[in-house]
């Protein structure tokens, strides 16, 4: 319910400014009309160019296939090469080349009302600049008029010049020399033309601001180029020149890179060839000095010979060992028979050994037939002893021979081993030379291959991009679009006043509507009193016209009747937060409204510091009153004034001023005064000081049954509502209700119910419609 009331209040408040909305829409639509009238229309020129991606095609295909199979194709981005080319297409360098080529910093046109219309191919002359006198030129406009006799009048307000020169003559300015060249035979005499000259940097910035480049698709390498320009043919020429200049620059860059690469490769080839010759010469010298033909085969034979000599040495050592053992065996006299040995390969020793064993065998046979003293046996013993001595001599001789042979074999074996130990070093040196030779040779072949590739690439002139669609302009202007401009103007016409109204509501610090009060407090609003457009302080009474203001007091009276019907007495206090909120005005008219029902009403003026109630009731002279009764100077009946402003109305004025109003209100006599008043009157209306300024109202609240707290529309500040809430939370005032004063029922956000029925809203004749529209 509260939300509905807040929305309704918001709608009513907004609709109350309907005139401002209509006026704002009319103004913005008018501005839109002027904008369309004086703005130069723009044509859209578009084209498509395809860039060739330089990434590896196999890799690209594999990545694309993987992305498509896994649903990740949307994540693929163009390669860095394509993105770099987009930057080149929008670079100031490329734009600058087109500016210079087409002289876009010099525009020839004529006036069409307030607009400048470029003539381009319809211009009867061309213009050029030379002999620049400043580093950066400023924008200048020249008016050209062809005169009879092949004369031209040139004027410029910025240059403060006006000259008449012949055709093709140079016009000197403060920044450069201007030359005009006719392009047709018959010049239009008396017709005025304009030349607009800007710096090249300014022309580049203007071109790039109206020029966009973007990829057609994330997975494609085609690029859309768009240019907005006021002249369609000129725009097509500019965009086409941008693409062609881009292709030419790419081709020239490729040729330049190829030439630089060829020079580098030729230098490297000469150096590598020299290094390769040096390595081959060193390898040849190494082979010759080390008698190397085939290092592997030579190493195999060397190892074989070393093994052979080693085996022969081991055989000789084995025979030496056998001969030593045999000599020891022969020298032992107990050993008669000597065993033969296959290891010993000496023929004379073998013959001697066989002969010795034969004699031993013959001696043993004959010993069976003869006695030891037999001459035959004695002769055999002598032969055996002689042969044994001869055998020992052969053994000794053979041992020496074996020792000499072993020594020679050992020397030969050591020689071969020494040569074998040198083989790794030679092989390492040989491998090092071979590796250097192979490396230099591979590098030489690689450089030859790259040189051939660079030569082919230079000669091929393959384009890295291709124009798919040539520059083409739209048939009509694309901006500004009148329908969109008018729609935007209409929306702005609604948004601006709406924002102004609601923005003002956000920064407003004073109470402006019923929703403001309900948002900050739950204290009941018992009455809403309309704005008093009359200078009179009395708003209700006999003989006075019925107005929204008087009806507000009648409604307040009714609400108070129901609020007070359960009370023992009808004593109420009217107060406010600060001065100026209308509490005294509220006290007077509320009491008067109550008196019209036949009730006796007494006004007690307890704003002892700044009493105004008596003066408002028409009593200008100082009279005795409340303070005099409390201090015992007067009796209550003697100071009560009757008949102001109605016969049922009575007044107990503030009385003589005192220095200590708060202490006076704390006197016991005050209780007696209120008790006596309750006995004599039906209603007691107490006009108290503002609560937010002094503490008097806190003292008075003990004598009343109800507090009417006055808030004033567009006067009471929002933060004062929190002060009222604190008074209620701490129960510093009695039963408290709010009354909103000075409400403009036409434009406020308060629920007025049927207040306007049958009544006229007072409006100051001095206020214009504009002021009434933008009031508050």
């Amino acid at each position: 319910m509260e939300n509905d009331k807040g929305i309704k209040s918001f709608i009513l408040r907004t609709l109350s400014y309907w005139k401002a909305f209509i006026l704002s829409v009319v103004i913005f639509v008018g501005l839109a009309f002027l904008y369309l009238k004086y703005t130069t229309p723009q044509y859209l020129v578009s084209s498509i160019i395809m860039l060739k991606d330089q990434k590896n095609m196999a890799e690209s295909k594999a990545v694309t296939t993987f992305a498509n199979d896994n649903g990740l194709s949307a994540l693929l981005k163009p390669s860095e090469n394509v993105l770099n080319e987009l930057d080149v297409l929008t670079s100031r360098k490329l734009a600058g080349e087109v500016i210079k080529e087409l002289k876009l910093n010099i525009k020839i046109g004529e006036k069409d009302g307030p607009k400048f219309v470029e003539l381009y191919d319809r211009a009867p002359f061309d213009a050029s600049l030379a002999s620049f006198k400043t580093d950066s030129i400023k924008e200048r406009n020249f008016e050209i008029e062809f005169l009879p006799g092949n004369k031209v009048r040139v004027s410029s307000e910025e240059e403060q010049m006006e000259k008449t020169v012949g055709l093709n003559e140079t016009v000197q300015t403060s920044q450069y020399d201007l030359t005009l060249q006719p392009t047709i035979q018959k010049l239009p005499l008396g017709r005025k033309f304009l030349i607009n000259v800007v710096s090249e940097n300014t022309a580049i910035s203007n071109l790039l601001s109206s020029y966009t480049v973007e990829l057609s698709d994330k997975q494609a390498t085609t690029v859309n180029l768009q240019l907005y320009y006021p002249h369609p043919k000129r725009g097509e020429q500019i965009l086409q020149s941008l693409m062609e200049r881009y292709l030419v620059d790419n081709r020239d860059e490729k040729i330049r890179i190829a030439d630089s690469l060829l020079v580098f490769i030729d230098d490297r080839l000469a150096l590598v060839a020299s290094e390769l010759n040096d390595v081959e010469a060193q390898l040849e010298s190494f082979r010759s000095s080390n008698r190397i033909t085939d290092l592997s085969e030579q190493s195999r034979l060397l190892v074989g010979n070393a093994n052979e000599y080693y085996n022969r040495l081991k055989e000789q050592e084995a025979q030496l060992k056998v001969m030593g053992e045999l000599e020891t065996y022969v020298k032992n006299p107990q050993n008669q028979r000597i065993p033969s040995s296959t290891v010993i390969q000496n023929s004379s020793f073998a013959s001697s050994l066989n002969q010795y064993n034969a004699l031993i065998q013959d001696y043993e046979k004959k010993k069976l037939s003869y006695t030891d003293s037999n001459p035959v046996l004695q002769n055999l013993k002598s032969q055996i002893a002689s042969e044994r001595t001869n055998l020992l001599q052969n053994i000794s001789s053979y041992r020496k021979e074996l020792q000499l042979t072993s020594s020679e074999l050992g020397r030969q074996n050591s020689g071969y081993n020494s040569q074998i130990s040198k083989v790794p070093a030679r092989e390492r040196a040989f491998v090092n030379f071979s590796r250097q030779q192979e490396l230099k040779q591979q590098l030489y072949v690689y450089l030859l291959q790259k040189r051939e590739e660079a030569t082919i690439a230079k000669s091929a002139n393959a384009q890295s991009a291709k124009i798919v669609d040539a520059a083409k302009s739209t048939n009509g202007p694309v901006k500004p679009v009148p329908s969109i401009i008018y729609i935007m103007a209409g929306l702005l016409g609604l948004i601006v006043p709406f924002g102004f109204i609601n923005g003002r509501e956000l920064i407003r610090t004073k109470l402006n509507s019923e929703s403001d009060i309900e948002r900050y407090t739950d204290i009941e609003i018992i009455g809403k009193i309309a704005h008093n457009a009359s200078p009179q302080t009395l708003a209700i009474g006999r003989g006075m016209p019925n107005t929204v203001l008087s009806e507000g007091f009648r409604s307040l009276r009714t609400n108070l009747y129901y609020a007070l019907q359960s009370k023992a007495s009808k004593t109420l206090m009217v107060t406010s937060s600060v001065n100026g909120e209308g509490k005294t005005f509220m006290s007077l008219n509320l009491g008067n409204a109550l008196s019209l029902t036949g009730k006796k009403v007494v006004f007690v003026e307890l704003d002892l510091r700044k009493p105004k109630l008596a003066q408002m009731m028409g009593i200008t002279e100082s009279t005795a009153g409340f303070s005099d009764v409390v201090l015992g100077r007067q009796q209550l009946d003697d100071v009560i004034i009757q008949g102001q402003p109605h016969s049922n109305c009575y007044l107990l004025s503030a009385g003589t001023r005192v220095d200590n109003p708060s202490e006076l209100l704390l006197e016991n006599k005050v209780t007696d005064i209120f008790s006596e008043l309750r006995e004599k009157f039906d209603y007691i209306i107490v006009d108290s000081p503002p609560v937010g300024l002094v503490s008097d109202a806190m003292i008075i609240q003990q004598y009343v049954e109800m507090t009417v707290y006055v808030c004033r529309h567009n006067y009471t500040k929002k933060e004062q509502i929190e002060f009222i809430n604190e008074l209620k939370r701490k129960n510093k005032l009695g039963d408290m209700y709010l009354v909103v004063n000075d409400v403009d029922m036409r434009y406020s956000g308060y629920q007025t119910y049927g207040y306007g029925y049958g009544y006229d809203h007072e409006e100051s004749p001095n206020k214009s419609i504009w002021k009434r529209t933008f009031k508050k």
Side-chain angles (χ1 to χ4, degrees):
M1 186 64 181
E2 292 180 358
N3 291 336
D4 294 340
K5 290 173 66 178
I7 294 173
K8 185 177 180 181
S9 174
F10 170 78
I11 294 174
L12 290 174
R13 183 175 65 247
T14 303
L15 291 178
S16 65
Y17 293 92
W18 63 273
K19 294 178 182 178
F21 281 94
I22 292 177
L23 181 61
S24 177
V25 169
V26 171
I27 292 174
F28 276 97
V29 170
L31 292 175
F33 174 78
L34 295 176
Y35 173 78
L36 292 173
K37 182 177 179 62
Y38 297 115
T39 299
T40 303
Q42 301 285 322
Y43 292 80
L44 175 61
V45 185
S46 58
S47 64
I48 299 177
I49 188 171
M50 183 176 68
L51 306 177
K52 294 182 180 179
D53 198 350
Q54 302 297 319
K55 64 185 178 182
N56 183 275
M57 297 305 295
E59 178 183 354
S60 174
K61 183 177 180 181
V63 172
T64 304
T65 302
F66 173 80
N68 292 334
D69 292 343
N70 293 272
L72 303 175
S73 58
L75 300 179
L76 288 179
K77 295 182 179 178
S79 69
E80 293 183 0
N81 174 68
V82 174
L83 297 178
N84 291 338
E85 293 306 309
L86 293 183
D87 292 336
V88 174
L89 282 167
T90 56
S91 65
R92 293 184 64 88
K93 176 179 178 296
L94 180 63
E97 293 175 355
V98 175
I99 294 293
K100 291 180 180 179
E101 179 184 354
L102 303 180
K103 295 195 294 186
L104 296 180
N105 61 321
I106 306 174
K107 293 182 180 180
I108 301 175
E110 57 185 353
K111 281 283 187 180
D112 181 14
K115 295 188 291 188
F116 174 84
V117 178
E118 186 177 2
L119 294 177
Y120 176 43
D121 54 351
R122 296 185 292 113
F125 64 94
D126 192 16
S128 59
L129 306 179
S131 303
F132 290 94
K133 302 169 186 177
T134 57
D135 294 334
S136 178
I137 65 175
K138 298 180 180 179
E139 182 177 2
R140 291 290 184 266
N141 293 286
F142 299 92
E143 185 178 83
I144 308 298
E145 182 179 4
F146 293 99
L147 305 175
N150 290 330
K151 296 292 184 179
V152 181
R153 184 179 62 84
V154 182
S155 61
S156 172
E157 293 183 0
E158 296 95 336
E159 291 284 334
Q160 296 181 353
M161 60 164 284
E162 183 174 349
K163 296 181 179 180
T164 301
V165 298
L167 286 175
N168 297 316
E169 288 187 13
T170 299
V171 180
Q172 294 185 352
T173 70
S174 61
Q175 301 184 91
Y176 40 75
D177 293 342
L178 176 65
T179 304
L180 307 178
Q181 301 91 20
T183 57
I184 58 176
Q185 294 293 331
K186 187 177 180 180
L187 295 173
L189 300 180
R191 184 177 173 184
K192 295 182 179 180
F193 299 91
L194 294 176
I195 300 177
N196 175 257
V197 180
V198 298
S199 65
E200 291 184 355
N201 284 332
T202 302
I204 291 172
S205 300
N206 294 337
L207 175 59
L208 293 179
S209 64
S210 58
Y211 167 59
T212 59
V213 176
E214 60 182 10
L215 287 171
S216 303
D217 188 83
K218 289 184 178 180
Q219 301 182 38
T221 59
T222 54
V223 179
N224 292 330
L225 288 78
Q226 293 184 339
L227 174 67
Y228 291 94
Y229 202 79
H231 197 291
K233 290 185 178 180
R234 184 65 159 171
E236 290 177 357
Q237 182 192 34
I238 293 172
L239 193 58
Q240 192 70 25
S241 297
L242 279 168
M243 294 188 294
E244 291 174 355
R245 173 54 57 183
Y246 168 75
L247 296 178
V248 170
D249 288 350
N250 269 0
R251 184 196 63 195
D252 294 344
E253 181 67 12
K254 284 181 59 180
I255 293 175
R256 186 187 65 80
I257 293 175
D259 288 339
S260 300
L261 183 60
L262 284 173
V263 172
F264 172 76
I265 291 176
D266 288 340
D267 292 342
R268 292 299 300 170
L269 274 173
L271 178 62
V272 172
S274 175
E275 292 176 350
L276 181 60
N277 290 333
D278 292 343
V279 171
E280 289 178 343
Q282 293 176 5
L283 180 60
E284 181 181 359
S285 175
F286 178 79
R287 284 177 175 272
S288 176
S289 61
N290 290 276
R291 297 191 297 275
I292 295 175
T293 54
D294 188 343
L295 185 61
S296 299
E297 183 63 24
Q298 287 179 323
S299 298
R300 186 180 63 79
L301 292 176
L302 188 61
V303 172
N305 291 334
N307 288 337
E308 181 181 356
Y309 276 97
Y310 179 77
N311 292 334
R312 290 173 60 186
L313 178 61
K314 291 300 181 182
E315 290 179 0
Q316 294 296 320
E317 289 177 351
Q319 290 187 24
L320 277 172
K321 185 176 180 181
V322 171
M323 291 304 296
E325 293 176 353
L326 184 60
E327 184 178 17
T328 302
Y329 183 84
V330 172
K331 287 180 178 181
N332 189 354
Q334 294 182 358
N335 298 326
Q336 293 299 318
R337 186 180 289 274
I338 300 174
S340 61
S341 175
T342 58
V343 177
I344 299 174
Q345 299 176 358
N346 188 280
S347 57
S348 60
F349 173 76
S351 175
S352 178
L353 180 59
N354 290 334
Q355 186 175 358
Y356 174 77
N357 288 332
L359 289 174
I360 292 296
Q361 184 177 7
D362 186 36
Y363 175 78
E364 289 178 350
K365 288 181 179 180
K366 288 183 177 183
K367 186 178 180 181
L368 296 174
S369 302
Y370 299 103
T371 60
D372 293 334
S373 59
N374 188 290
V376 175
L377 292 177
Q378 291 296 325
N379 185 32
L380 285 172
K381 286 182 177 180
S382 176
Q383 291 179 6
I384 289 170
S386 175
E387 195 62 36
R388 191 178 185 93
T389 301
N390 188 33
L391 183 61
L392 290 172
Q393 290 177 353
N394 286 335
I395 290 173
S396 176
S397 175
Y398 187 50
R399 281 187 64 192
K400 291 180 180 180
E401 181 182 349
L402 287 175
Q403 288 175 351
L404 290 174
T405 302
S406 296
S407 176
E408 180 62 22
L409 289 175
R411 186 182 62 79
Q412 292 290 339
N413 187 50
S414 297
Y416 281 114
N417 287 333
S418 176
Q419 293 184 23
I420 290 173
S421 64
K422 294 179 180 178
V423 167
R426 293 177 183 174
E427 187 172 5
R428 183 172 61 254
F430 180 78
V431 169
N432 185 35
F433 283 120
S434 299
R435 183 166 52 247
Q436 292 185 36
Q437 181 193 27
E438 183 179 2
L439 179 61
K440 298 297 182 182
Q441 188 171 359
Q442 290 177 353
L443 181 58
Y444 186 78
V445 173
Y446 174 79
L447 289 173
L448 286 176
Q449 180 183 356
K450 290 301 176 182
R451 187 180 189 279
E452 193 65 24
E453 291 176 358
T455 303
I456 294 173
K458 178 181 177 181
S459 303
N461 286 331
Q463 294 288 345
S464 60
K466 181 177 71 173
I467 298 176
V468 178
D469 285 341
K472 181 63 179 175
S473 172
T474 54
N475 295 328
V478 295
K479 60 180 186 178
V481 182
S483 58
I484 295 178
I485 297 298
Y486 281 122
I487 290 173
M488 292 179 62
L491 291 175
L492 285 173
L494 297 174
I495 291 172
V496 168
F498 181 84
F500 172 77
I501 294 168
N502 291 279
R504 191 180 62 171
E505 288 295 320
L506 292 176
I507 63 175
R508 183 173 47 81
T509 60
K510 297 177 181 178
L511 296 178
N512 184 260
S513 65
E514 187 174 354
S515 61
D516 284 346
I517 301 175
E518 293 176 346
R519 187 181 302 117
Y520 297 110
T521 184
D522 57 355
I523 300 175
E524 181 180 353
I525 300 175
I526 199 172
K528 286 157 275 192
I529 306 303
H531 171 71
N532 183 20
S534 172
Q536 297 180 3
T537 57
L538 195 62
I540 185 171
R542 290 190 176 93
M544 298 187 68
N546 289 334
T547 62
V548 175
L549 178 61
S550 63
E551 189 63 24
F553 281 107
R554 291 187 179 95
S555 177
L556 174 60
R557 179 183 63 190
T558 302
N559 294 334
L560 283 174
Y561 172 76
Y562 288 107
L564 290 170
Q565 64 181 353
S566 61
K567 304 294 183 181
S569 65
K570 306 299 189 276
T571 305
L572 56 91
M573 176 176 64
V574 180
T575 187
S576 63
S577 299
V578 293
N579 288 326
E581 292 179 303
K583 64 174 182 58
T584 304
F585 171 79
M586 189 68 59
S587 300
L588 174 61
N589 287 282
L590 176 58
N592 195 32
L594 290 171
S595 69
L596 292 177
T597 63
K599 302 295 183 180
K600 293 178 64 178
V601 179
V602 61
F603 299 97
V604 181
E605 188 178 29
L606 292 188
D607 190 353
L608 302 178
R609 290 177 171 82
K610 292 183 179 181
K612 293 182 181 179
L613 182 59
Q615 183 180 358
M616 192 175 290
M617 296 174 70
I619 301 173
T620 58
E621 298 179 359
S622 299
T623 59
F626 180 82
S627 61
D628 299 289
V629 176
V630 174
L631 295 174
R633 299 170 185 169
Q634 296 285 343
Q635 295 298 317
L636 181 61
D637 293 337
D638 296 335
V639 297
I640 293 179
I641 303 173
Q642 181 182 5
Q644 296 294 335
H646 190 268
S647 59
N648 288 336
C649 294
Y650 299 84
L651 172 65
L652 176 58
S653 65
T656 306
R657 287 182 177 273
V658 294
D659 296 332
N660 51 349
S662 297
E663 287 76 3
L664 182 68
L665 292 172
L666 292 173
E667 294 288 341
N668 294 329
K669 184 65 175 177
V670 177
T671 304
D672 298 335
I673 292 173
F674 274 95
S675 297
E676 188 174 348
L677 291 174
R678 287 189 181 94
E679 294 174 357
K680 295 179 179 181
F681 299 96
D682 297 314
Y683 288 95
I684 302 172
I685 307 297
V686 178
D687 181 30
S688 75
V691 179
L693 300 179
V694 293
S695 62
D696 296 0
M698 306 295 184
I699 301 173
I700 299 172
Q701 66 89 22
Q702 61 183 312
Y703 306 114
V704 302
E705 281 74 33
M706 177 185 291
T707 300
V708 176
Y709 204 103
V710 180
C711 297
R712 185 175 178 180
H713 175 83
N714 263 343
Y715 188 88
T716 302
K717 294 184 178 180
K718 293 179 181 179
E719 57 264 24
Q720 291 172 344
I721 297 295
E722 181 58 32
F723 175 68
I724 299 173
N725 290 332
E726 184 179 0
L727 293 176
K728 183 178 180 181
R729 283 195 303 268
K730 297 182 178 180
N731 199 24
K732 291 185 177 181
L733 294 179
D735 196 9
M736 185 165 55
Y737 294 90
L738 294 180
V739 175
V740 185
N741 187 28
D742 198 26
V743 177
D744 192 335
M745 294 301 183
R746 280 189 174 184
Y747 306 105
S748 67
Y750 297 91
Q751 301 295 324
T752 59
Y753 303 103
Y755 286 178
Y757 179 74
Y759 304 107
D760 294 330
H761 292 275
E762 299 86 354
E763 188 66 62
S764 173
N766 297 326
K767 291 187 177 179
S768 65
I769 295 176
W770 177 264
K771 291 182 178 179
R772 291 199 303 271
T773 300
F774 289 98
K775 70 184 298 183
K776 306 191 288 287

